[in-house]
Amino acid sequence: MLTKEESAAIISKFGANEADTGNSKVQVALLTERIKQLTAHCKQFPKDTGAARGLLKVIGQRRKLLKYLQRKDLELYRQLIKDLGLRK
């Protein structure tokens, strides 16, 4: 789980202000951090199928938000992908 400090840091980096949690950029960044944590957990505990299912669910949520951003603002999408290091 993300701590309040980690969430606040991500929100301040990608959002317009500290209260800008609904922004798609912020949501994608928060989901990306959650995916990193769940991936590490699943590597450490390979038999935890509940965590693996949760990981797939979070990945699907991020994918939907990225598709939305790609449709609405292609330049913002490309910049976010670059900032988060999602594609190589």
Side-chain angles (χ1 to χ4, degrees):
M1 225 36 216
L2 287 173
T3 64
K4 287 185 180 184
E5 294 80 20
E6 291 171 338
S7 296
I10 292 171
I11 292 168
S12 66
K13 181 177 179 184
F14 289 98
N17 55 40
E18 289 77 26
D20 190 18
T21 57
N23 192 335
S24 297
K25 284 183 355 182
V26 174
Q27 289 182 9
V28 169
L30 288 170
L31 287 173
T32 300
E33 191 60 36
R34 183 78 179 120
I35 287 170
K36 288 178 186 176
Q37 289 180 350
L38 280 170
T39 302
H41 175 83
C42 287
K43 284 181 182 177
Q44 187 177 1
F45 303 101
K47 293 186 178 184
D48 188 355
T49 56
R53 184 174 184 271
L55 174 62
L56 291 175
K57 187 174 180 178
V58 173
I59 289 172
Q61 288 174 344
R62 183 180 71 178
R63 184 180 297 133
K64 287 178 189 177
L65 282 170
L66 285 172
K67 275 185 173 180
Y68 169 77
L69 272 176
Q70 190 176 16
R71 275 195 328 265
K72 294 297 178 183
D73 191 350
L74 187 59
E75 284 304 314
L76 179 67
Y77 167 79
R78 288 180 177 159
Q79 185 62 39
L80 184 62
I81 293 292
K82 185 179 176 185
D83 290 346
L84 293 174
L86 295 179
R87 312 243 193 298
K88 295 183 178 161

